[in-house]
Amino acid sequence: MLNKDNNRTVVSRRSLLGKGLALGAVAAGGGAPKAAEAGNPANLPPNVPEWSKTLGDGVAVRAYGKPSKHEAHVIRRDVEWLTASRESSVSFTPLHELDGIITPNGLCFERHHSGIAELDPHDYRLMIHGLVDKPLMFTLEDLERLPRVNRIYFAECAANSGMEWRGAQMNACQFTHGMIHNVMYTGVPLKVLLEEAGVKTNAKWLLLEGADSAAMTRSLPLQKALDDCLIAFRMNGERLRPENGYPVRICVPGWEANMWVKWLRRIEVGDQPWHHREETSKYTDLLENGKARRFTYVMDAKSVITNPSPQAPLKHRKGITIVSGIAWSGRGKIARVDVTLDGGRNWRTARLDGPVLDRSMARFYVEFDWDGQELFLQSRAMDETGYVQPTKDELRKVRGVNSVYHNNGIQTWRVSPEGEVENVEIA
Amino acid sequence: MSKSRELVALVAAVVIGGASFAAAQSGKPAKEPPAKTAREAAKPASPAAPAAASAPTKVPYGIGREAKPDEIAGWDIDVRPDGQGLPPGKGTARKGEDLFVAQCAACHGEFGESAGRWPVLAGGAGSLASHDPVKTIGSYWPYASTVIDYVRRAMPFGNAQSLSGDELYSIVAYVLYLNDVITDQDQELSDKNFPTVKLSNEANFFDDDREVSEKAFWKKDPCMSNCVAGAPKVLGRARAIDVTPEDGKGPRVE
């Protein structure tokens, strides 16, 4: 299992840069961002480019379509030094390249503990047993005969922004905030399956278990299971991707994504939590006094400006400028997002555009006329429960710096007069 | 430790999550009490089930078949702190040492100290309230049952569910011995006495209390203008730490 080269393949920096994309010469720490290249004069007026004269690919040549080859830099990325192996690791969603609220399936961040399990859907089984009247076994076809619902939810890793507890560390929005995706799931309410089995009166907890070789388990309060959890088999219309749990995962709306067990194979009904590895050793939040919170399920209100950001510098210098970002809360709908250009001295309320849904990402924009001076950009989310996204210092005051998970502190981007953007902490 | 190394170490601890250590099982006893099969056909939704869900609930649909006891026994591998689910078997730290060295030490070190970035299994006692907490089985984990459960289901990394019941108890005994949880190499652990093994940090966990301890985050009206005096001053820069992968370094895209 321990590949000497750690299974990592790397393309040269050159092969992705220098394609006229001006893509983040900045994140690497380089100089000022360059304006988009002028392009190939042969393709520009008054000339008639090749694509206006010749036939392109016919239908079904691209039987399953991919993005334009000019978007080849829009990919999940990982941080080599972060983990011991690629199989128990994470890749990050390129938030700075996306807009709206739906994450394309191929870009949804990955977090595996034993690699991607490749299940044959014909051999898929979901077992429900324990404190039930009748233990049940479902096939994928069975699940698809039950009434299903469609819901758009974010799934955010509890460790998202975890690298930033002690200070600004990752100079890229993708790495500071990219352990999140937001898709439309199609699935059967878990409640329906539990009612099929008949839950006994002393039942209080469920154990969820995956079919991969980590056999990931989490204890889930029965109340949550009966409320809004989904046994999902589709994302954004199509089948789940293998890396996202094909053929079946559970959605636990608003709660840390570790609980969204992929390749779900078994649900046991019990009367107490199991205190398994992912809810004791991991996903418990160590405080400064040496005590630790457990069962910190909900992901609190959070936001980040995705553009501009270190990987997406401002190339136009001064003039009309758009700030764009995302906000979300595990406690309900986003009620408001405020944005500051001067590091929190003054705030303006951003424009939410597109659907604002319960426990889903919301998209916000602020348009302003940039005078070309240094900016300190921040966003501050509020949700419908009245929760206001705290600063990192406010969080540290309560929790210290060792709690690893649940960092929803306000992010600061410094924009230089040249339009370069960096991850900073400020006073 | 330099600032950047310190941050790197923290993150590695953060995200790794995945690979802890060694073992699993092959003896798969049925731990479930015999399934109660007789469900009254027309029984309404369980009385335990409060109303809520969002889909039509005409119950039951009669979809899915009954899971058979041997099917459940084959997949039901979870262990609880009270001992429910313990597989049959027995072992000692003395027997576990060789197994650990053969099956686990390549990643976790011969004494649980870990190799490279692989998880540290032992040590760190008394470090939890320090600047650099070392969270191991001995210093942090609340329940010994979690060790046997996790080893059984997920270890060795890449060869999960391969250990016999006796191998499992022996390896777990050795790991507990490394952590001074048991001090006698010949003390036998088994499905009979395992729940008596207690870890020292159990009392230091408490249920999520954010809605009380962080009540201040539910504010009435956040400040909108002239909220901070003076110009922003940069205190820290990710660029100075310089651990962000360069653009262009990423998985190969065809």
Side-chain angles (χ1 to χ4, degrees), chain B residues 197-212:
Chain B
V197 178
K198 299 292 177 196
L199 304 186
S200 62
N201 199 46
E202 178 180 342
N204 286 324
F205 289 86
F206 63 98
D207 289 350
D208 185 6
D209 68 343
R210 279 176 287 175
E211 292 186 33
V212 176

Side-chain angles (χ1 to χ4, degrees), chain A residues 267-287:
Chain A
I267 297 174
E268 182 169 348
V269 182
D271 60 357
Q272 55 181 268
W274 276 258
H275 298 287
H276 276 182
R277 191 255 199 177
E278 306 292 327
E279 54 205 13
T280 55
S281 170
K282 308 296 172 189
Y283 305 98
T284 50
D285 309 352
L286 183 61
L287 303 184

Side-chain angles (χ1 to χ4, degrees), chain A residues 88 133 166 196 199 268 277, chain B residues 17-18 36 39 61 78 131:
Chain A
S88 181
D133 294 331
R166 293 195 179 194
E196 286 293 296
V199 175
E268 182 169 348
R277 191 255 199 177
Chain B
K36 296 191 179 129
R39 178 178 56 163
Y61 295 91
D78 57 82
H131 187 66

Side-chain angles (χ1 to χ4, degrees), chain B residues 18-218:
Chain B
S20 255
F21 62 137
Q25 53 84 236
S26 66
K28 291 169 186 158
K31 69 158 186 216
E32 201 66 30
K36 296 191 179 129
T37 52
R39 178 178 56 163
E40 313 84 288
K43 190 179 175 222
S46 155
S54 31
T57 48
K58 183 166 64 77
V59 183
Y61 295 91
I63 289 179
R65 65 161 173 84
E66 185 157 343
K68 296 168 196 143
D70 67 313
E71 292 175 323
I72 296 171
W75 278 12
D76 180 7
I77 55 172
D78 57 82
V79 181
R80 295 196 317 200
D82 65 358
Q84 180 187 292
L86 280 169
K90 59 179 175 358
T92 63
R94 193 180 297 281
K95 287 179 187 153
E97 182 171 1
D98 287 346
L99 291 164
F100 187 90
V101 168
Q103 304 237 34
C104 322
C107 296
H108 295 294
E110 290 194 18
F111 303 99
E113 77 281 12
S114 109
R117 296 193 188 288
W118 298 99
V120 181
L121 305 185
S127 70
L128 296 182
S130 76
H131 187 66
D132 292 301
V134 179
K135 299 192 286 183
T136 71
I137 290 165
S139 70
Y140 190 64
W141 292 33
Y143 302 105
S145 61
T146 311
V147 187
I148 203 162
D149 173 84
Y150 184 67
V151 173
R152 186 188 191 193
R153 73 177 53 254
M155 289 291 132
F157 190 59
N159 190 23
Q161 300 196 49
S162 63
L163 297 175
S164 72
D166 286 357
E167 289 172 331
L168 185 60
Y169 282 96
S170 299
I171 285 172
V172 170
Y174 181 67
V175 170
L176 294 173
Y177 179 75
L178 289 176
N179 279 288
D180 301 320
V181 175
I182 59 174
T183 51
D184 177 358
Q185 287 194 71
D186 295 310
Q187 181 184 340
E188 188 175 270
L189 295 183
S190 72
D191 48 313
K192 307 292 182 299
N193 66 7
F194 197 81
T196 64
V197 178
K198 299 292 177 196
L199 304 186
S200 62
N201 199 46
E202 178 180 342
N204 286 324
F205 289 86
F206 63 98
D207 289 350
D208 185 6
D209 68 343
R210 279 176 287 175
E211 292 186 33
V212 176
S213 61
E214 298 181 358
K215 207 171 164 200
F217 298 160
W218 279 265

Side-chain angles (χ1 to χ4, degrees), chain A residues 346-362:
Chain A
N346 299 284
W347 298 82
R348 62 189 79 189
T349 296
R351 181 169 65 85
L352 292 169
D353 190 81
V356 178
L357 303 168
D358 185 18
R359 293 165 296 179
S360 159
M361 273 186 198

Side-chain angles (χ1 to χ4, degrees), chain A residues 112-123:
Chain A
H112 320 309
H113 293 73
S114 289
I116 300 168
E118 292 278 0
L119 272 69
D120 183 327
H122 302 100
D123 298 339

Side-chain angles (χ1 to χ4, degrees), chain A residues 29 55 67 89 137 191 232 249 261 266-267 280 299 316 359 373 386 389 404 417 427:
Chain A
L55 298 176
S89 193
M137 187 83 88
K191 180 184 185 197
R249 85 179 305 172
V261 173
R266 187 167 71 93
I267 297 174
T280 55
M299 302 305 294
H316 61 268
R359 293 165 296 179
Q373 299 300 300
Q389 184 183 358
V404 175

